[in-house]
Amino acid sequence: MIVDFHRENPNAARRISFIEFDSLPFVPIPKPLTDVVLPPSSRSGSSPLVGASPSKRASQLMSSPKAGPSQNAAFHLGIAFPSLVIGRLLLELTSLPALVKDNQQLSSALTSYSNLQEGIYLFRNGVDPYSGGSFRHSPLYLSLFATILPVTGAGSSILWTLCDALGAWALVNIWRARQRVLSSQRDTLVTAVYLLNPYIFLPNLAHSTSSFENTLMLFSLMFASQGRVSAALLSFALLVHLSLSSIVILTPLLLLLLLNPISRLASPKPLRSFGVDFKSLIPYVGEFILYISALTLASTSVSGGWAWIPQTWGASLTLPDLTPNTGLWWYFFTEMFDHFRPFFLMVFSVHLVIYIAPICIKFQYDPLYAAFLLIGILGTFKAYPTLSDPGLFLSMIAIFPEIYPYFRHPIVTALLHLHAALLMPLFNHLWLNQGTGNANFYYASTLVFACSNGAALVDCIWAGLRIAIGADNEGYAVAQE
Amino acid sequence: MHVLSTILSLLLLYLSTWAWAVDVSQEDAVRGFFGNSTTSGSGHTNNWAVLVCASRYWFNYRHMANALGMYRTVKRLGIPDSNIILMLADDASCNSRNKFPGSVYANRGRHLDLYGDNIEVDYRGYEVTVENFIRVLTGRMDPSVPRSKRLLTDDRSNVFVYMTGHGGNEFLKFQDNEEISAFDIADAFEQMYQKKRYNEIFFMIDTCQANTMYSKFYSPNILATGSSKLGENSYSYENDNDIGVAVIDAYTHYVLEYMESINKTSHKTMADLFDTYDVKKINSHPGVRSDLFKRPLDSALITDFFGGVSQVEVSPPPPPPPPPEEEEESLSDVQAPIEGEGERKPPRHQKQQQRVHASALSQTSPDAGTWRQLRAWGSIAILGCLVGWVGLRK
């Protein structure tokens, strides 16, 4: 029989020293929440990579994305995406933006639209915006909005809607890169999850600049997933300029540039076994530092000095502004004695950083998932969060459908989120508008919100690890060494 | 050699006379402005008033009404609150025995409320002491004392000092526990003279045996008047039946009544005021001391002391400043020697000043604005280069 086989397939390899399982045309078992079913006929063009030579670089394994299964998916997206964007534009034209503009849950001291407008006005009238205490945006905003971008009126509404639309497009591309398809039936769902998420579209209606940060984060992940190193590093450098805390995503981003975004959660392997060359990270880091320096130069030139550094980047580290927001820092530091303040500022900042190493080590085989988890950590523990930071984390769950069966308590998490989503605005209103509540009400609701974010994080980490063990079987259990 | 030096010295002398002439002409211009033919030649530029009521308790209501009446008159004639030191030893308007709280009246029938809601009492209650009064006059104060409690006069200030209360032979009672003597006031005025704190002082006092209080002055340029002579009492004018006490003293009443006919443009003189003293009506002999006062009484206007009338000269509006290209011309104009041509001088100097000022202003703003725009576009250029480079790389 083997002889028959070789007679019929003269090209087949005689001796097999190894087979890259990733290149074999396995048809994945359709999971209930995933629709990507690639019929074997569409894979006829590629052949499995069977080689008798030493291992090649993992990047060569990334074959070109396959053609989509049907036209329906593209058609659906072609309708859904514009309609969502138009719906958002229509919302912008109502009075809702004016209502939510100054809500501190939707925009923080670093991202507030009113502060941005004030900074642009001061800049245009010759006053240094960083000499006061209200303008904490990056000088790049100054240069962009004082020259080419519109900062008021319909122009700004279109700009913010465009920003969210680009973010949704980037998320869809990340999804497609992870699945290695040109389009899938799930694209519409991913787009809708991003554009219809209230945690994302409410800050966008309030014209908070955290929308730009989300879009840049998604862009850097998208470029890294597509293998475009410079674009990923440049958009990440821009993001770090706008929000210093995002630097924690650097490590998984670099790992993503080394590897690829495809889902390997079910088959964890050490990074070494992919044959990646860690030395190739050094030029990436060098390029990143170059971009950061160039942007620092641009920022310093537009702001005419170095005062912007303590006002923008320093704000995340020294917490000068204690306006209430949805985060955990403000209340803690309102009741902090002055002599403990530096110590606890250090503790809170280091707290963000300590998650990088464990998550990147544990999920070294799937850096996109590591980035996703660190985005969740940022959203929960950042210094000046808005609703859009945990919102990005929640929307990004949409691109990891493989973990859904492995969630332990999704309903509890969802209910906690519902709880927080109802109580936080209520207590905020009770405290600040009506005056019948006090800060403790609102603080308690932010604690519930942090609890719900933490529950979601813990569940995602659990599911991401559990998927490697596989479905439960009777009779035996798999233990991890 | 000798001839040369003599010629040189004569030339210098001649030139110096020019300088004197210029000097003198400038002084003449200043003197002419402040003391021209329509005024009385007093040479003052600002007016101050120190109004003191030195007695407390409800039954001395009339003394507080005296001081408040003078305050109202002096304010009406133009002295601002910042130039008035009002010292009231007690609060009659908010006294618990006042049937009309918040108000002080100076006539029977209560036709005019002197207290109102716009008065500024600088020293009140127990702050009205002999020490504070002398400190106010001489200006020797702790640095922490606020400006509103200071007499910030200079040597061009006309000061009107009015005192009322209970007094006697060369003394005035303060607060029922201390007294100030005529020598003290005379020495205080001498200190003011030495420190050049007044141009002219008009001293008016309404107490018993008031004329003795000004008998000890020895500084120049003081005009003084009092309500009664040695051995005489000063009497109150009338009671109000609902307030229950005397509401005004006779001397002050008649002075205030006369002052009602004076306004800011009035040319009535001090002689006219003193001529209205009627011994029968006042029931005492008011006195005047003018030997220290250099000007004749019939040329000293009432508004020299009671009002804050200022000399105003309306000059023609200067021409609008030219655009900044003419900056060099204007600078050279300023540096050129200014000839002593009388009325051309002020507008020309103003014009040049305005030209330089406008050009200096306009030089900073467009430059800074363009530099800012350059910086913004420069950073946009850096950003665009980065994006373009990255876009071209892969």
Side-chain angles (χ1 to χ4, degrees), chain B residues 8 24 66 139 150 232 241 256 299 308 364:
Chain B
L8 206 61
V24 165
N66 288 350
R150 288 175 185 260
E232 259 188 355
N241 291 331
L256 288 177
S299 65
T364 52

Side-chain angles (χ1 to χ4, degrees), chain A residues 128 163 165-166 403 412 468-469 476 478:
Chain A
D128 181 18
C163 162
L166 286 174
I403 60 174
V412 176
I469 300 180
Y476 65 91
V478 176

Side-chain angles (χ1 to χ4, degrees), chain A residues 141-161:
Chain A
Y141 283 122
L142 270 184
S143 57
L144 282 170
F145 280 98
T147 49
I148 50 181
L149 292 180
V151 77
T152 51
S156 66
S157 302
I158 294 178
L159 180 66
W160 258 267
T161 311

Side-chain angles (χ1 to χ4, degrees), chain A residues 123-124 126 143 227 229-231 291 295 298 301-304, chain B residues 372-373 375-377 379-380 382-383 386-387 389-390 393-394:
Chain A
F123 180 72
R124 285 201 179 124
S143 57
V229 176
S230 299
Y291 291 145
L295 288 172
S301 76
V302 81
S303 83
Chain B
R372 246 192 346 264
Q373 284 293 330
R375 281 190 282 141
W377 282 107
S379 69
I380 296 278
I382 295 179
L383 206 59
L386 278 176
V387 173
W389 186 53
V390 161
R393 255 172 75 108
K394 270 206 182 156

